[in-house]
Each structure stands twice: as C-alpha cells, then as structure tokens.
C-alpha cells in the first residue's frame, strides 16, 4: 500500500522519456478497511508523445476511446453513421424493387392484346338493376363506337335511360354514356350481340332465360354478374344458364369480386375476377372489361368463384346482425373468421381451390360485404339485429338481398356434402323465424370448444 503512494516507484516501473505524470489522490473509505484505499488519477501531460511504457495508454495499438458525457466510450464515426447508412440502403432497395415492378408492368402492357375490344361492336346487358347499369356504363365508356343495349323490364326505367341518359331508379345523379340504350324487347337487344352480361337476380334467372332462349345465339358468351344459389335446385349460375337456354355448350364466364355498383359508377379503383374453364375466353373477357380503374384477374375455378360469391351474402347478414345487436368488434372478427372457415370447408368439398377462397372473389368480397354499409345483405342483418321483422325489411327495399333466399340453399348444400356450418345455419334459422338473434348468439357461444381447423 505504501508503494502505491510514491510516484517515484511508479515512474521507475515504467521506463519512459515522458516527464512523470502528476496525480490526484482520492481517498475512498470502505467500511471493511481500517485504513482508506488511495486511488491515483493521473493528469494527462500537456504534450503527449509516444512512449514505450508498458503501462502507458499510448502504448496500445489503437487510440483509447474518448470519454462520453455519461462516462462511457463514444461511438466511432462509422458507428454514428450506421443508422443513416442502413436507412439509405433500405430506401434504395425499395426504390429498385418498385422500378423493377414498373418496368415489368410497362413491358406487359406493351405486349397486351386489344383486338377483342376492337372487334366488339355490341354488348347486351340483361337487367336494369344497379350493378347491371354500372357495368353497362363501364363497357360503354371503353369504346364510344360500341353499342351497349340494356334489356330492362320497367318501361319507366327504359324511358329514363333513353331520354335522360340516367337510370333514375338507382343512379339519378349519374349520366350514362350516350352509347347506352335501353329496350324492353329481347330480340332487339340480343340481335348481333358479341357478349351478354347477365345481371338478373338468381331466383328469377331460370324463368327469364327460358323466355328469351329463342333469341340467344348458341355461341354468345354469357358473363354472369349474379351471385347466389337457386333455392329449390341448389344450382349455381354456371348450371342455370346452359340449362335454361337448352344449350349445355353455351359459353359461360363468372364475374365476381369486391365491387359496389356506386363506386364503379364513380370510377374508383376496383379489382374483380373472371372465371371460366376456357382460357381463351377468360383472356377475351379480361380484354373487354379491364380499364385504368378496373383490374380483371382470370381464374379457371368457376366453382370456387361462384360458391364464395353466393355464401358471402349469407355471412354478410350474420355480420349485420352482430352490428345491429351492438356486440362489439371482438365478436364481429370472430364471427367473420368462423364464417370464412365454413365457406372454405364447403367450397373445397365441392371441388373449389382453397386459394380461390382467399382471393378477390372470396376473402376480398367477404370483407367488403360484411364490413361496409353499402352492402344490402349487411343492411338486412343490421335491421334484424335491431329487432325489425324480415317482412318489413324486405318490403322497404328496392333491391334484392340475395343472401335471404340463398341461406336455405346453403344449408341444404352443407347437408349434401356433410359439412357443419354453425354460423350460416344460424342465419338460415333466423330468416325462417325459428330462432331469435339473441338465442342464436347464445347457442353459438356454447358450442363445444374444439381445435381450430
């Protein structure tokens, strides 16, 4: 201890040409020592020079760290700039990825064919409802020289379209393109048509098509906009149209996806799917319908696209009931997740691809229909959950909520394919007035606790 107190001994230990450093002496008393420990703190020399002292800080191969304000070592310049470098590298990677995507898109567009649109001179739309009107306006805006004929049932709507260029019943504030014309005569509408868009509600489609079958060209492609299942037969539109027209080879395309008619009329960005077994026909429909604000994907899974489009309407009623009963966001998320699983179970049993159910025509359409107030089926559910009677709800609506009539057919399909569908079955029971919404919630919450599949 005495040696530590003598600078001469320290200087002798380190052979150096530097002058001996001066020291501050700090006495630190410790309880378990009878004498204080003395710690020497050297003052740095005014002009430090290299030294061969083995104990000198200058003898290290790298310079000592500069003390930071908190007493710890300060980061080097490279360490200080590291976060900025990483951020710059990340931004560069994102920019490069985006530029590659844009180049790929431009290359694809330069090779994309437009011959279908150029060859198409006439399109007929069957039905004068909101979605049929929106699609008629969309196609007419694609090519001014194209004739778009709407076959409507109501003479008042027919005059409104022809005289005022608007469908006063559904879109009184939207002007239709001048090349959209309406008629109540099926023969006139269908004569020399290149494509037919079917927008008649599912439950009325068979009778309607049987009445106009004699005017339909056997090679006329039908693009179905209708979603649902025929109540008594459990048929989808891909089965209804060929059967009603007495032509099993009638070209058929299903159009589906998250799309409200009002937003199409307002030309807001939208994405949909066309599904057909004929790849050439799918590409033709894609060319006809795709635009700067409407993306069209193609699929060969007709069953998946149609069954998802039908069942999502029933699930939307269930989502509306939850909202009408003010059950909260947790229950809404749980119900829709369960409903998506039920749709997937049935669809895959019917031969659909699981990827279709998670795509635009499945999850995309389900999210839109279950969560947005523009949905007719969701509105029915909200009013049921609020305590209104189904007859009063339907009597006050000027559009068809397909989920009401589809619910019973869905349960029949579930029994046919031996699939348990608790949520969609509960909706069918509520619609049949055999179960109250409150009782349905109680029964669903008390189902056995099972493993998620």
């Amino acid at each position: 201890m005495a040696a530590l107190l003598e600078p001469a001994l320290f200087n002798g230990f380190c052979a150096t040409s530097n002058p001996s450093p001066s020291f501050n002496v700090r006495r630190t008393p410790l309880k378990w020592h009878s004498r204080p420990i003395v710690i020497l703190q050297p003052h740095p020399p005014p002009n430090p020079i290299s030294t061969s002292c083995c104990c000198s800080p200058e003898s290290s191969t790298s310079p000592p760290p500069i003390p930071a304000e908190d007493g710890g070592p300060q980061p080097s310049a490279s360490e200080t700039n590291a976060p900025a470098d990483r951020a710059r590298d990340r931004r560069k990677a994102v920019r490069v990825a985006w530029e590659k995507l844009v180049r790929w898109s431009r290359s694809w567009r330069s090779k994309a064919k437009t011959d279908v649109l150029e060859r198409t001179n006439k399109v007929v739309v069957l039905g004068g409802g909101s979605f049929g009107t929106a699609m008629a306006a969309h196609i007419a805006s694609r090519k001014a020289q194209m004739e778009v004929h709407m076959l409507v049932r109501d003479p008042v709507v027919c005059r409104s379209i022809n005289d005022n260029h608007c469908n006063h019943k559904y879109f009184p504030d939207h002007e239709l393109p001048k090349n959209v014309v309406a008629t109540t005569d099926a023969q006139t509408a269908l004569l020399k048509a290149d494509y037919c868009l079917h927008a008649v509600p599912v439950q009325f489609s068979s009778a309607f098509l049987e009445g106009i079958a004699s005017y339909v060209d056997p090679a006329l492609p039908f693009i179905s906009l209708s979603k649902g299942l025929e109540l008594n037969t459990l048929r989808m539109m891909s089965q209804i149209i060929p059967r009603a027209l007495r032509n099993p080879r009638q070209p058929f395309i299903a159009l589906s996806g998250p799309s409200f008619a009002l937003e199409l009329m307002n030309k807001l960005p939208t994405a949909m799917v066309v599904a057909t077994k004929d790849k050439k026909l799918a590409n033709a429909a894609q060319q006809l319908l795709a635009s700067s604000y409407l993306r069209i994907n193609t699929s060969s899974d007709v069953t998946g696209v149609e069954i998802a489009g039908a069942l999502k309407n029933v699930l939307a009623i269930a989502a509306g009931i939850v909202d009408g009963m003010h059950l909260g966001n947790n229950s809404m998320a749980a119900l829709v997740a369960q409903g998506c699983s039920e749709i997937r179970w049935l669809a895959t049993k019917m031969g659909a691809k699981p990827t279709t159910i998670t795509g635009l025509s499945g999850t995309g359409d389900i999210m839109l229909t279950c969560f947005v107030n523009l949905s007719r089926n969701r509105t029915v559910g909200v009013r049921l959950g609020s305590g209104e009677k189904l007859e009063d709800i339907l009597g006050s609506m000027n559009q068809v909520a397909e989920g009401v009539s589809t619910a019973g057919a869905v349960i029949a399909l579930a029994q046919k394919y031996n699939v348990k569908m608790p949520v969609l079955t509960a909706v069918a029971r509520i619609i049949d007035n055999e179960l109250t919404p409150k009782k349905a919630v109680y029964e669903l919450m008390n189902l056995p606790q099972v493993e998620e599949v």
Side-chain angles (χ1 to χ4, degrees), residues 186-187 190-191 208-218 222 244-247 250:
Q187 185 175 10
L190 289 160
L191 184 64
F208 173 79
L209 290 169
E210 288 169 2
I212 66 170
S214 58
Y215 307 123
V216 176
D217 188 314
F222 267 68
L245 296 177
R246 299 183 293 276
N247 179 14
Q250 193 78 44

Side-chain angles (χ1 to χ4, degrees), residues 154-172:
D154 189 343
V156 177
V157 171
C158 184
R159 287 195 297 271
S160 172
I161 293 172
N162 292 333
D163 297 342
N164 303 317
H165 299 290
C166 78
N167 187 329
H168 76 283
K169 190 174 182 179
Y170 299 107
F171 299 113

Side-chain angles (χ1 to χ4, degrees), residues 306-323:
E306 285 201 281
I307 200 67
L311 270 59
K312 61 93 182 179
N313 287 329
V314 184
L315 181 56
I317 295 175
I321 290 172
V322 168
D323 199 23

Side-chain angles (χ1 to χ4, degrees), residues 375-424:
S375 166
R376 299 189 295 269
N377 293 284
R378 184 182 187 279
T379 298
V380 170
V382 170
R383 295 175 67 177
L384 283 171
S386 301
E388 292 188 54
K389 294 191 176 299
L390 182 63
E391 296 77 13
D392 298 334
I393 298 171
L394 298 180
S396 65
M397 298 177 69
N398 66 345
Q399 298 185 70
V400 176
E402 289 280 11
V404 174
S405 54
T406 300
V410 168
I411 305 315
L413 270 180
Q415 292 172 348
K416 178 180 177 180
Y417 288 93
N418 193 28
V419 177
K420 288 183 174 63
M421 307 178 74
V423 167
L424 301 188

Side-chain angles (χ1 to χ4, degrees), residues 430-445:
I430 292 170
I431 287 173
D432 290 341
N433 202 27
E434 295 178 354
L435 194 65
T436 64
K438 185 175 180 180
K439 181 67 173 175
V441 171
Y442 174 81
E443 294 293 348
L444 289 172
M445 289 301 295

Side-chain angles (χ1 to χ4, degrees), residues 217-380:
D217 188 314
L220 177 64
F222 267 68
I223 303 175
S224 175
L225 315 182
S226 307
K227 301 174 184 177
L229 297 169
E230 198 170 48
L231 184 56
N232 297 324
T233 66
L234 310 183
R235 295 190 186 109
M236 296 177 287
M237 289 306 303
S238 58
Q239 300 163 313
I240 293 171
I241 290 176
R243 186 181 181 89
L245 296 177
R246 299 183 293 276
N247 179 14
R249 296 185 177 277
Q250 193 78 44
F252 175 84
I253 306 159
L255 176 67
S256 190
S259 50
F260 284 139
L262 178 61
E263 296 191 3
L264 274 176
M265 289 293 286
N266 290 331
K267 299 186 177 182
L268 297 178
T270 303
M272 302 178 73
V273 178
V274 289
T276 178
K277 300 292 185 183
D278 185 338
K279 188 173 183 179
K280 185 177 179 181
L281 189 58
N283 292 334
Q286 187 180 51
Q287 285 188 49
L288 178 69
L289 300 175
S291 72
S292 59
Y293 62 90
L294 178 58
R295 284 187 56 83
I296 299 292
N297 294 349
T298 61
S299 172
S300 60
D301 186 8
V302 178
T303 298
V305 168
E306 285 201 281
I307 200 67
L311 270 59
K312 61 93 182 179
N313 287 329
V314 184
L315 181 56
I317 295 175
I321 290 172
V322 168
D323 199 23
M325 296 178 69
H326 306 291
L327 298 181
N329 297 318
N330 292 351
S331 58
M332 177 68 78
L335 174 123
V336 173
Q338 171 67 24
C340 288
S341 294
E342 294 178 15
I343 291 172
R344 174 171 50 84
W345 298 336
L346 179 58
T348 51
K349 275 288 190 76
M350 295 176 67
K353 300 175 183 177
T355 50
T356 302
I357 308 306
T358 58
L360 281 171
S361 60
T363 303
D365 215 354
I366 288 168
M367 288 192 293
L368 186 77
T369 314
C370 288
F371 300 139
V372 181
N373 290 331
L374 285 173
S375 166
R376 299 189 295 269
N377 293 284
R378 184 182 187 279
T379 298
V380 170

